[in-house]
Amino acid sequence: QVRLVESGGDSVQAGGSLRLSCVVSGYTFEGNCMGWFRQAPGKEREGVAAANPSGGNIYYADSVKGRFTISQDNAENTMYLQMNGLKPEDTAMYYCAIDRCLVIGPRQLVPQYYSYWGRGTQVTVSS
């Protein structure tokens, strides 16, 4: 059974940093694609960062480039999202996801290409 559990969400001031973690069980990073997504109230879920570790490709939404970094620890089967320079518009529920690489390229940021999801962790950024 595939299970993803996020943690690390919190309430922070603008300009602050957070590191989100996602522990994955029942699935491996090797040869697959992983991503971080977020959904704010009243908005659609959007891709924030995506990677296929075996291929070495990483993609970021324009809104987070230079501020967010996706990474993974294969030994711990955990993926991370380091978020720096947080802004109020980053406020959202953040989700991690994993699946076979159905696409390669910026479309890895499209939520519809992922079958396995965590339940999310809330990030709130105040001005």
Side-chain angles (χ1 to χ4, degrees):
Q1 182 179 359
V2 181
R3 186 170 182 230
L4 292 81
V5 180
E6 303 96 337
S7 62
D10 205 345
S11 295
V12 297
Q13 295 281 333
S17 297
L18 286 173
R19 188 176 81 153
L20 306 183
S21 300
C22 172
V23 178
V24 181
S25 57
Y27 220 86
T28 179
F29 294 133
E30 186 173 353
N32 295 309
C33 285
M34 63 182 192
W36 284 95
F37 301 81
R38 66 187 181 187
Q39 187 166 17
K43 295 188 176 181
E44 293 187 355
R45 190 170 297 189
E46 63 174 355
V48 173
N52 57 316
S54 297
N57 299 312
I58 297 177
Y59 304 96
Y60 295 98
D62 289 343
S63 58
V64 307
K65 279 180 183 176
R67 300 188 297 123
F68 291 11
T69 304
I70 186 173
S71 63
Q72 85 284 348
D73 183 329
N74 293 339
E76 297 293 328
N77 229 37
T78 301
M79 68 171 86
Y80 301 99
L81 184 68
Q82 178 66 43
M83 306 187 295
N84 300 326
L86 283 162
K87 304 175 181 181
E89 51 264 43
D90 294 318
T91 295
M93 184 71 79
Y94 282 72
Y95 301 88
C96 57
I98 195 167
D99 206 335
R100 295 178 294 121
C101 292
L102 301 175
V103 293
I104 296 294
R107 285 187 295 165
Q108 287 174 233
L109 290 167
V110 176
Q112 284 77 4
Y113 289 114
Y114 295 83
S115 299
Y116 304 104
W117 293 83
R119 293 190 175 184
T121 186
Q122 178 67 39
V123 172
T124 303
V125 185
S126 58
S127 57

